[in-house]
Amino acid sequence: MGFFDFLKGPDINQGVKEYSTTDDAVLLDVRTPDEYAAGHIPGSLLIPFDEIKVKSDQLPQNKNTEIVVYCRSGRRSAIAADTLISLGYAKIYDLGAVSSWTYGLEK
């Protein structure tokens, strides 16, 4: 580990790779519908960060399901992760910014 490694955020590419190999995991895009329509990681579910509580019926019933969240810059995904934890979800992974995604986005 290098001296400045603590400055690095989560690696969204590695996180999505791990998500894709985990049974029943959910990849959650917490941006706006317009941002999602402009391009999102394939296989992701859209629930805007400020609608998670009211749309919780779209989330897995099993609170131990791994939920991987991302947004545009990392701010909303952090808020979403806190909200999911407050709803009782135990395995939340905040990948931060979709701008760090190096593979193609789906429209």
Side-chain angles (χ1 to χ4, degrees), residues 15-62:
V16 172
K17 181 179 177 182
E18 290 174 18
Y19 144 79
S20 68
T21 62
T22 304
D23 290 338
D24 301 322
V26 174
L27 180 60
L28 187 61
D29 185 325
V30 297
R31 300 174 301 154
T32 66
D34 286 342
E35 288 172 305
Y36 185 84
H40 55 274
I41 297 174
S44 61
L45 168 68
L46 171 67
I47 302 179
F49 82 103
D50 57 352
E51 297 178 18
I52 289 175
K53 284 187 178 179
V54 296
K55 293 186 174 181
S56 62
D57 60 323
Q58 295 180 27
L59 296 168
Q61 296 302 308
N62 180 350

Side-chain angles (χ1 to χ4, degrees), residues 67-87:
I67 300 178
V68 179
V69 297
Y70 72 91
C71 67
R72 181 181 54 83
S73 67
R75 184 184 70 81
R76 290 175 286 180
S77 61
I79 294 168
D82 287 343
T83 302
L84 291 163
I85 290 167
S86 76
L87 291 173

